Amino acid sequence: MRFLDQDIAEMLKDLLVESNVTTKQAVLSIPSVSSFITVIELPLMNREEVKAAVPFEAKRYVPIPMAEVVMDWEIIEEDEAAKKMKVLLVVVPNEVVNKYKRIAEITKLEIQAIEIESFSLVRALVGRDRGVAAIVNLGAQSTTVVIADNRIIHLNNNIGRGSREISMILARSLAIDEARAETLKREVGLSTKPEEKEIADIIMPIVDTLLADVNRAIAIYNRANIRKVERVILSGGGASMAGLIDYVSKTIGLETTLANPFALTVYPAFMQPILKDIGPGFGVAVGLALRQVTSR
C-alpha cells in the first residue's frame, strides 16, 4: 500500500501528539531499498582527486542520471602497498529526499539530518565492537544485510523478501486470518515441539530461501576481504520469531544474537522487559536518536 505525503504527515502528527513529543527537530531515515550503497575501488589518490573521480565512477553503478540523485562518499580503506583505496559510495534519488522534505514541511518538523537506515542500524547495534558483524534487518516487505567492519559499512545488500510473506503463507496454508498467522509466526515460529511441527514446516522453507540469500551476501564479503564476518545480529520486526536465533546460528554457522539497541541507553530497570521485547524493531529509531551523541 502506498501512502500520499499528506497521509504520512497526518499519521506522524498523530504519533507525535500521542507520544507527547514537543521538539520540532528531527533526524529522518531513508529505507535501504530506496537507496544505493556500494564500495568502489580506486587507485590511491588524494581527497581532491577522489572528489573528482567518484562522480565518473558512480555512473558505472547507478542506473539513473547523476543529475537526479544526491550522492555522498567516504574513504574507508587505503592500501599503500597495493596503491589502491576503497570508497563507500552512497546514492539516493532526488525524488526520495524531496518526499521526506515535503513530509517534514507538512508536519512542521525541522530536519537536522537525513540518513539511510543502514547507518542508523550500525550505530545502534554494533556499538563499540571493532570486529566484523552482519546485521540482518528483517522488515515486512524486504530484508537488508549490512556488513560492518570496525563500525564502517562495507556491504549493503537488499533482499526482496520480508517477514510478512511468512504470515501470508501461514494464513493461506492454515485457512486463518493474517493477524492470527502473525501471532503464530511470533509465538510458535520454528519451534521444535512435535505438536507445533505443522507450523514450523510451513515456515522453514521460506526462512531457508531467505537465509540462502543472506549466506550468499556474507560469502561475497568474505571472499573479497581478509577479515571475515564473525557474528550475525537479527533486527527488525521479523527478528522476534520464536526459534529464529538458534536456526540462523545453525544454518549460517555463526554466533547469532537478537538486536538490542537500548543497550546503549540508560533507562529505569522496570522498563527492561518491554524494551527487550520491542528492541529488535527499534534499531533504526535508536540509531537516529544516537546520531547527535556518538562519533559515528
Side-chain angles (χ1 to χ4, degrees):
M1 181 183 294
R2 298 190 65 179
F3 291 96
L4 299 175
D5 297 350
Q6 185 67 44
D7 296 331
I8 297 173
E10 290 302 323
M11 286 188 287
L12 190 53
K13 283 181 182 178
D14 290 342
L15 178 63
L16 294 173
V17 170
E18 291 295 325
S19 303
N20 293 319
V21 173
T22 56
T23 182
K24 291 299 181 181
Q25 298 180 338
V27 182
L28 308 181
S29 74
I30 291 174
S32 181
V33 293
S34 299
S35 62
F36 178 80
I37 303 174
T38 192
V39 174
I40 60 177
E41 195 171 88
L42 296 173
L44 199 62
M45 58 182 74
N46 63 43
R47 191 170 182 84
E48 286 304 310
E49 291 172 321
V50 174
K51 185 177 180 180
V54 164
F56 291 98
E57 191 69 18
K59 293 178 183 178
R60 297 175 49 193
Y61 300 91
V62 182
I64 58 178
M66 291 295 99
E68 298 178 14
V69 302
V70 177
M71 183 176 63
D72 200 0
W73 55 270
E74 179 184 0
I75 299 171
I76 60 174
E77 187 178 309
E78 295 179 274
D79 189 336
E80 296 283 349
K83 297 191 180 303
K84 292 180 180 180
M85 67 196 311
K86 289 182 179 180
V87 176
L88 182 66
L89 175 66
V90 180
V91 177
V92 180
N94 287 335
E95 63 178 287
V96 175
V97 175
N98 291 336
K99 178 183 180 69
Y100 278 72
K101 288 181 177 178
R102 288 194 301 270
I103 292 169
E105 184 177 356
I106 296 170
T107 319
K108 294 183 169 37
L109 291 174
E110 302 169 12
I111 299 177
Q112 300 299 298
I114 301 177
E115 71 176 15
I116 299 169
E117 63 183 17
S118 297
F119 293 90
S120 309
L121 286 168
V122 171
R123 186 181 301 114
L125 304 181
V126 176
R128 299 178 181 85
D129 185 1
R130 297 187 177 275
V132 184
I135 298 172
V136 180
N137 191 48
L138 293 152
Q141 306 294 338
S142 63
T143 298
T144 302
V145 182
V146 185
I147 299 181
D149 182 357
N150 192 20
R151 299 174 293 181
I152 297 173
I153 293 176
H154 283 251
L155 181 144
N156 188 92
N157 190 20
N158 298 313
I159 301 168
R161 310 183 73 115
S163 64
R164 190 181 174 213
E165 179 183 359
I166 297 173
S167 300
M168 293 172 66
I169 292 176
L170 262 181
R172 288 199 301 267
S173 300
L174 301 176
I176 57 178
D177 61 42
E178 198 171 322
R180 175 59 180 158
E182 185 71 27
T183 299
L184 289 175
K185 178 184 70 176
R186 181 181 172 89
E187 296 181 356
V188 178
L190 295 166
S191 170
T192 56
K193 295 179 181 178
E195 64 270 25
E196 296 171 335
K197 185 176 185 299
E198 181 185 8
I199 295 170
D201 284 349
I202 295 170
I203 293 174
M204 198 173 298
I206 312 166
V207 174
D208 285 342
T209 302
L210 179 60
L211 291 184
D213 289 332
V214 173
N215 234 339
R216 195 172 297 115
I218 292 174
I220 288 171
Y221 174 84
N222 284 343
R223 282 197 298 268
N225 294 273
I226 296 174
R227 284 161 56 89
K228 313 301 181 187
V229 175
E230 300 164 352
R231 64 188 181 108
V232 174
I233 304 170
L234 299 181
S235 69
S240 297
M241 183 195 309
L244 184 61
I245 295 175
D246 289 341
Y247 194 79
V248 172
S249 180
K250 290 175 184 176
T251 303
I252 295 182
L254 292 171
E255 174 194 353
T256 303
T257 58
L258 192 61
N260 179 21
F262 295 107
L264 298 177
T265 66
V266 177
Y267 52 83
F270 74 87
M271 293 185 66
Q272 184 170 355
I274 184 64
L275 294 182
K276 182 180 179 181
D277 184 53
I278 68 174
F282 274 75
V284 173
V286 174
L288 291 172
L290 290 173
R291 179 186 170 94
Q292 305 298 327
V293 296
T294 59
S295 59
R296 182 174 289 281

